[in-house]
Amino acid sequence: MRRVATVATCTLNQWAMDFQGNMERIIESVERARAAGARYRCGPELDVTGYSCGDHYHESDTLQGAWEVVSQIMQHPACADIMMDIGLPVSHKNVIYNCKLVFFNKRILLIRPKMIVANNFNMGSREGRWFTPWRKVREVEEHLLPPCVTSVAGQTSVLFGDAVIATRDTTIGYEMCVELWNPESPHVAMSLDGVEIICNGSGALQELGAADDTYSCVRRATAKTGGCYLFANQRGCDGSSGYFAGDAYIGMNGEIVGCAAGYSLAQVEVVTATLDLETVRRYRSLFRSRCEQAAASPTYPRVQVDFSLCSEVAYLPSCDPVVPWVPSVAQQVVEGPACWLWDYLRRSGRKGLLLSLAGDVDSSATAAIVSCMCHKIVDAVAAGDKEVVCEIQRITEDGEYVPSDPRELCGRLLYTLHLPSPPPATHSANQMCLPPSAAHLAHQLAKEIGSKYQSVAVEGGVSAIMESFTAASGSCPRHQHQGGSPVEEEAFDHLHSRLRMTMAYLFAQLGLWSQGQTGELLVLASSSADNIMAGSWAKYGDTSADVNLLARFPKKEIEKALLLWAKDKLNLPVLKDIVDSRARESEGKTLTEEEMAVMRNLQAMEYCGPYSMFSRLMYLWRNTCSLKQMGEKTKAFFRWSSQQRHKMTALATPYYVPGTGPPDIDRPLFYNHTWSWQFTAIDRAVEQLNSEKK
């Protein structure tokens, strides 16, 4: 007879501090797991509260609310006769831990605290601000339960710490999120102690270019140790600026045998697999060096449960491996922000989106992301997702509307404005001027995606404000082509940018009102990471908005990946013309766009200061620049970025992607832009290296 177990993992679209909604999604996942015959359900990290609660974790209300949700879930009929784990913050001996709580039939079996908290600031992880890691390996303590749980469970305390669950037929262990990636992952020691099923609840954000990282880790973990691995991750936007990838996997002896769909709008998805645990035992017993290690392995505390996870069958076909869906970089740049934007829109209470469409690469890329969102909504509706239908009907205030055409839907959700910069003969004569075909390209793109479109001039506002300034100050600013100074020219540019922002917000607030509808629109900005780092934009200008979907992406990914991918996949041929028409603005400049991108990455992602950046560039640019040129470029970059640093405080909320983009705000707001000590060190190095060459 074979011992087989049907297990389930899931991905949930939770919302920080939405206790009621989170509870309902957890219960729905349990119901689906039971319907598939599963006897164990694994859930994402902190699925009771939502992951991105931030400093709410320090509030006693949050801790109490989480326990009240636990008590309600335990009483629900769907949670009978199925073992499951849920995630919540727990205060133990006045220390707050990020925990997994395991229960079965109204009895709490174990609270397992996270032993390695995610503190990689560069990747957007700051758990150490709220949670403390559990340091007592293979140790447990008694934890007193709150009255709301005691009244349901009939128990006053539970084991708290590093332990495993022993049923009548198998053993289940736990690790949480970053513990899988750590050099000393707990699953290794647990597997040596006979644990056959490892459950990992995670709250991991999507990382650009690392779409296969999680499933590769799950596959390698089970290949190295044998056994079954359940990985559950949150999905979508839970109130933070990052996108939870929604990856859920079931691994078995080095293979992936179950996985969730990628970039889905479904709020609950459950992945199940029926596993033959005899194959785990055979896999491990044939791994002789592993057996020698296991024989000397320390023992974990075990919580005994009178429950069988497995059923006995005479025959079971082998569990077929699946090939997980791995998105390309282009798909990550388009579909990740599109799914995140959908959650942001429906949860923000806004009734649509507004975008200033300039016919350039950045604003066109943002429009393509919105178009992708509309395609995904239509696909979800076609697949029978009733929740998406309800959300769309609420947003559009049309209780009969069922979207079937992405272009028609885009026409209901997206309002595009063309706010042209003035021609050189009037005001701005610098790089902010749009190419002659910009208005045509913007209008053509609006037609192809189906959005509403209006062209609105703000030139009259510029003239009126300058006249008021002249009357008040007695000085009349002029453009450079009229004999004015660079300071005067920059003032015109910034004024024009700020008026475009003002007009965008005015339309966002009154656009629906003018058509007899209610509500406001969410304003979208369009600035790539390279543009932000260059600093050639107006503080509180048209880069200011509610959200910026491109702020963490370099220009090369937007131009070469996002637009060209969207051109084919979303049937937007004008995007090719927009890419081809982009003016090369870097000619004659000290730093080109490509050089700025390299230096931005060295500063933001590899933490290079001026001298260490110069040292890296000596290798990277050894065939293209002289040592003196490298030194001058390095100094120009830091001098310019220091002078523009104050603008970072005025950026629109970015769509956050770990491992990309400009430096976060956790640096000084202003600098001594001469960098005298560091720049002198660079000059000395250039002089010394040049003399050695002679």
Side-chain angles (χ1 to χ4, degrees):
M1 300 293 286
R2 315 295 294 177
R3 288 195 174 274
V4 301
T6 300
V7 293
T9 186
C10 62
T11 177
L12 305 179
N13 192 318
Q14 302 296 71
W15 192 1
M17 304 301 293
D18 178 23
F19 291 106
Q20 181 67 35
N22 293 344
M23 180 181 71
E24 291 171 358
R25 285 181 285 272
I26 290 171
I27 291 173
E28 182 179 345
S29 70
V30 177
E31 291 173 337
R32 294 190 187 185
R34 284 173 57 93
R39 306 195 74 182
Y40 191 96
R41 176 265 189 198
C42 173
E45 184 177 15
L46 295 168
D47 52 353
V48 170
T49 59
Y51 184 86
S52 304
C53 296
D55 283 355
H56 287 293
Y57 288 124
H58 290 309
E59 299 170 2
S60 59
D61 288 10
T62 304
L63 303 179
Q64 177 63 26
W67 279 115
E68 291 171 355
V69 171
V70 170
S71 68
Q72 292 295 313
I73 292 175
M74 292 174 65
Q75 298 178 72
H76 197 277
C79 299
D81 299 323
I82 181 172
M83 189 181 296
M84 57 182 290
D85 62 64
I86 52 180
L88 72 160
V90 176
S91 178
H92 177 69
K93 294 183 176 179
N94 303 321
V95 178
I96 300 176
Y97 297 93
N98 179 350
C99 297
K100 272 290 185 187
L101 182 147
V102 190
F103 71 89
F104 173 69
N105 280 349
K106 298 184 181 180
R107 177 194 168 198
I108 300 178
L109 305 175
L110 173 68
I111 300 177
R112 199 279 195 179
K114 197 170 186 178
M115 304 183 70
I116 305 170
V117 298
N119 273 334
N120 189 346
F121 293 174
N122 195 40
M123 305 305 289
S125 303
R126 303 168 187 266
E127 288 183 5
R129 180 178 175 90
W130 312 292
F131 302 119
T132 302
W134 179 256
R135 297 298 191 187
K136 301 176 182 179
V137 179
R138 298 185 186 85
E139 292 185 29
V140 293
E141 299 175 353
E142 288 289 324
H143 177 80
L144 295 178
L145 295 170
C148 63
V149 174
T150 297
S151 63
V152 174
Q155 60 185 119
T156 57
S157 65
V158 65
L159 290 182
F160 184 102
D162 187 20
V164 299
I165 304 292
T167 67
R168 291 199 298 260
D169 46 14
T170 189
T171 308
I172 306 167
Y174 301 89
E175 61 183 12
M176 297 175 64
C177 195
V178 71
E179 294 175 4
L180 169 62
W181 286 269
N182 193 269
E184 293 186 311
S185 296
H187 71 261
V188 176
M190 285 188 285
S191 68
L192 292 175
D193 192 34
V195 174
E196 295 176 334
I197 300 174
I198 305 290
C199 301
N200 185 328
S202 180
L205 297 177
Q206 173 185 261
E207 297 177 29
L208 187 64
D212 62 343
D213 184 50
T214 301
Y215 95 80
S216 296
C217 284
V218 171
R219 183 182 57 79
R220 287 195 300 268
T222 59
K224 181 169 61 176
T225 65
C228 170
Y229 201 104
L230 306 182
F231 183 89
N233 193 14
Q234 190 165 305
R235 164 179 285 163
C237 167
D238 75 341
S240 72
S241 59
Y243 176 72
F244 293 93
D247 38 2
Y249 299 103
I250 299 178
M252 178 77 164
N253 293 348
E255 301 284 358
I256 300 297
V257 296
C259 66
Y263 297 125
S264 170
L265 301 187
Q267 295 194 52
V268 177
E269 183 175 357
V270 176
V271 180
T272 60
T274 300
L275 310 172
D276 182 359
L277 295 186
E278 290 297 330
T279 63
V280 173
R281 294 152 192 171
R282 183 173 65 250
Y283 184 95
R284 289 177 172 179
S285 66
L286 295 175
F287 196 166
R288 301 311 301 161
S289 59
R290 177 208 167 276
C291 292
E292 293 179 9
Q293 290 178 293
S297 172
T299 299
Y300 276 82
R302 278 165 162 73
V303 178
Q304 301 292 334
V305 185
D306 188 17
F307 170 67
S308 292
L309 197 67
C310 302
S311 59
E312 292 189 355
V313 298
Y315 171 77
L316 178 76
S318 60
C319 204
D320 294 330
V322 299
V323 178
W325 177 77
V326 180
S328 65
V329 170
Q331 288 174 293
Q332 287 184 279
V333 177
V334 181
E335 297 195 42
C339 294
W340 180 87
L341 181 61
W342 166 242
D343 284 338
Y344 196 113
L345 173 62
R346 68 189 181 87
R347 287 173 169 168
S348 67
R350 304 296 177 88
K351 294 301 179 67
L353 308 165
L354 185 136
L355 170 65
S356 295
L357 197 57
D360 63 340
V361 165
D362 288 351
S363 65
S364 300
T366 302
I369 291 172
V370 176
S371 177
C372 178
M373 182 193 77
C374 293
H375 277 78
K376 286 195 164 292
I377 292 171
V378 169
D379 291 343
V381 171
D385 194 325
K386 296 181 180 179
E387 292 179 347
V388 172
V389 174
C390 291
E391 294 284 11
I392 282 293
Q393 291 177 347
R394 178 184 58 80
I395 292 171
T396 61
E397 297 183 342
D398 185 348
E400 303 297 323
Y401 177 53
V402 179
S404 58
D405 178 9
R407 292 186 72 256
E408 190 271 339
L409 174 61
C410 190
R412 290 176 176 248
L413 294 181
L414 178 63
Y415 293 70
T416 52
L417 297 179
H418 181 58
L419 303 168
S421 293
T426 309
H427 286 312
S428 176
N430 70 359
Q431 63 187 18
M432 294 179 67
C433 289
L434 300 172
S437 60
H440 169 74
L441 292 174
H443 194 193
Q444 183 62 30
L445 179 57
K447 286 182 179 179
E448 291 185 3
I449 65 176
S451 70
K452 294 181 176 68
Y453 176 84
Q454 286 181 284
S455 182
V456 183
V458 296
E459 188 56 31
V462 174
S463 300
I465 291 176
M466 281 303 182
E467 288 175 5
S468 297
F469 176 82
T470 299
S473 67
S475 301
C476 181
R478 295 176 299 169
H479 295 280
Q480 281 187 286
H481 70 274
Q482 298 171 333
S485 66
V487 172
E488 294 170 80
E489 185 67 40
E490 185 178 38
F492 275 107
D493 287 340
H494 285 191
L495 174 59
H496 210 286
S497 177
R498 286 163 181 149
L499 281 177
R500 290 200 296 270
M501 179 206 70
T502 301
M503 188 61 69
Y505 270 102
L506 184 62
F507 269 81
Q509 192 163 17
L510 296 179
L512 292 175
W513 166 83
S514 67
Q515 300 178 20
Q517 299 173 270
T518 61
E520 298 181 16
L521 304 175
L522 192 69
V523 182
L524 304 179
S526 301
S527 293
S528 68
D530 298 334
N531 286 348
I532 290 172
M533 282 297 295
S536 55
W537 46 278
K539 194 173 184 179
Y540 304 111
D542 54 7
T543 55
S544 298
D546 295 318
V547 294
N548 185 349
L549 301 176
L550 306 179
R552 304 292 296 189
F553 297 122
K555 180 79 75 175
K556 66 177 182 179
E557 300 295 354
I558 295 171
E559 182 179 344
K560 298 178 181 178
L562 189 158
L563 291 182
L564 297 181
W565 182 88
K567 175 183 72 70
D568 297 326
K569 298 297 183 181
L570 304 178
N571 191 26
L572 303 173
V574 72
L575 293 180
K576 181 64 166 62
D577 297 331
I578 290 171
V579 172
D580 292 341
S581 69
R582 188 170 78 89
R584 297 299 173 184
E585 302 166 351
S586 57
E587 294 180 5
K589 293 185 178 181
T590 304
L591 294 172
T592 66
E593 282 185 356
E594 292 74 14
E595 289 170 340
M596 285 283 286
V598 171
M599 301 173 89
R600 170 189 56 78
N601 186 68
L602 289 174
Q603 183 194 40
M605 308 314 305
E606 300 191 30
Y607 292 92
C608 287
Y611 188 81
S612 55
M613 182 181 290
F614 170 71
S615 301
R616 291 293 304 275
L617 294 178
M618 282 195 296
Y619 173 77
L620 295 174
W621 294 349
R622 62 190 182 281
N623 297 324
T624 58
C625 296
S626 68
L627 289 172
K628 184 176 181 180
Q629 287 175 322
M630 293 178 200
E632 292 304 316
K633 288 178 183 291
T634 302
K635 291 189 286 185
F637 174 84
F638 277 93
R639 187 181 300 115
W640 180 253
S641 62
S642 299
Q643 291 172 332
Q644 304 300 324
R645 174 63 179 166
H646 66 96
K647 294 182 179 180
M648 295 297 178
T649 60
L651 287 174
T653 300
Y655 169 77
Y656 182 77
V657 182
T660 64
D664 290 331
I665 200 64
D666 293 334
R667 296 176 188 244
L669 298 182
F670 51 88
Y671 292 83
N672 181 344
H673 66 270
T674 64
W675 293 85
S676 56
W677 185 278
Q678 296 90 332
F679 287 1
T680 299
I682 292 175
D683 292 338
R684 281 200 306 265
V686 170
E687 183 178 352
Q688 179 180 350
L689 291 168
N690 281 331
S691 64
E692 291 176 357
K693 287 184 178 180
K694 296 177 182 178

